[in-house]
Amino acid sequence: HDASTFIEQSLKLNKNEDTLCDKALILERMGMIEESNVIYMEILGKNPKKAIVLNNLGYNYRRQLRLRESLGLFTKAIEADPKYPTPIINKANVLKELGMCDDALIFVNKQIVRDSTLVLQKTKIDILIEALDLQEAFKINEQMIQLNQNDSDLLNNRGVIFEQNSRHQHREKYLELAFKAFVHTKQMDPKYILATSNQVVCLINT
């Protein structure tokens, strides 16, 4: 409430796009998504190519499971600012969530050719896991671990890939490998909660 009051006071003094955007973000974080959307739409009415607003509205729509609409907004955000990385990742994730894994991979691969970042590589691994291309996912994930040995997401991915493999072949062997991978992730990063929940899943399935 203090933050919201501060923004309201700022708006009285200077109702510019950045202050409005700040207010929309605060509302979003308070769970007031529709109210946040109204402000983003107001900004876009005056400046339809403001990339950060297109992305933020797209993110809100994604939270509301309005995936097709969010996809269009992320695409517009990328067109408005091709070097802005957030809508690129968001678009890839929405394509994955729509079940369009082939399109997501084509899109991510094009972006990687332009500028290969760790976040893009992680996104590609996530898509490959979703598409059950576990061999390719494992290969890229291991390559990334060689370059980023303490990265919690990559270490956890190793376990996720093993766990997925256990559903298709050599159940006990891959569950054991998955459990060990999650234990290692937790040892490297005790605050990485996802590894703990994944350990529990392995124990339930054993």
Side-chain angles (χ1 to χ4, degrees):
H1 287 296
D2 289 341
S4 188
T5 303
F6 173 75
I7 291 295
E8 288 295 343
Q9 291 171 347
S10 299
L11 282 167
K12 287 175 185 175
L13 296 171
N14 185 14
K15 194 175 180 180
N16 62 27
E17 284 182 1
D18 291 337
T19 311
L20 279 170
C21 199
D22 287 342
K23 182 182 179 183
L25 275 171
I26 288 168
L27 289 168
E28 177 192 325
R29 285 164 188 167
M30 291 169 66
M32 301 170 73
I33 305 298
E34 282 299 340
E35 292 83 349
S36 176
N37 290 350
V38 169
I39 295 173
Y40 286 137
M41 292 297 291
E42 181 184 338
I43 297 169
L44 290 173
K46 297 172 183 173
N47 185 357
K49 292 188 177 182
K50 194 169 180 69
I52 190 168
V53 177
L54 289 164
N55 175 75
N56 291 358
L57 182 59
Y59 182 74
N60 279 0
Y61 281 177
R62 184 183 172 200
R63 286 180 65 184
Q64 295 176 308
L65 301 179
R66 297 163 66 176
L67 297 181
R68 290 283 177 184
E69 291 168 276
S70 73
L71 182 62
L73 285 163
F74 294 140
T75 300
K76 287 180 180 178
I78 295 164
E79 289 169 355
D81 185 357
K83 293 183 179 180
Y84 180 28
T86 309
I88 292 170
I89 302 303
N90 285 335
K91 178 175 179 175
N93 283 322
V94 168
L95 286 168
K96 180 187 72 175
E97 288 158 13
L98 284 165
M100 302 166 67
C101 288
D102 288 345
D103 291 326
L105 281 172
I106 290 167
F107 173 70
V108 168
N109 283 333
K110 281 182 181 176
Q111 302 302 322
I112 287 172
V113 168
R114 290 174 190 161
D115 182 20
S116 179
T117 65
L118 179 58
V119 177
L120 275 171
Q121 293 289 356
K122 286 182 183 179
T123 304
K124 180 175 180 177
I125 292 162
D126 288 342
I127 296 165
L128 288 166
I129 292 170
E130 182 72 21
L132 294 178
D133 190 347
L134 301 178
Q135 190 172 352
E136 184 67 13
F138 185 76
K139 184 181 85 173
I140 296 171
N141 199 67
E142 292 300 305
Q143 288 171 350
M144 290 297 104
I145 287 174
Q146 291 298 315
L147 299 171
N148 309 273
Q149 294 182 4
N150 298 324
D151 189 284
S152 304
D153 293 328
L154 296 172
L155 294 170
N156 183 70
N157 277 347
R158 181 186 275 164
V160 170
I161 295 164
F162 284 143
E163 193 275 327
Q164 286 281 351
N165 253 317
S166 75
R167 304 181 190 190
H168 306 285
Q169 58 180 334
H170 308 298
R171 179 182 172 81
E172 289 184 11
K173 170 190 167 184
Y174 280 114
L175 277 175
E176 184 180 349
L177 287 168
F179 186 78
K180 286 179 179 176
F182 295 137
V183 168
H184 178 59
T185 306
K186 193 71 177 170
Q187 287 170 342
M188 298 299 290
D189 185 356
K191 293 181 180 179
Y192 195 79
I193 297 169
L194 192 56
T196 304
S197 59
N198 284 334
Q199 279 178 258
V200 173
V201 170
C202 280
L203 288 171
I204 291 169
N205 291 330
T206 300

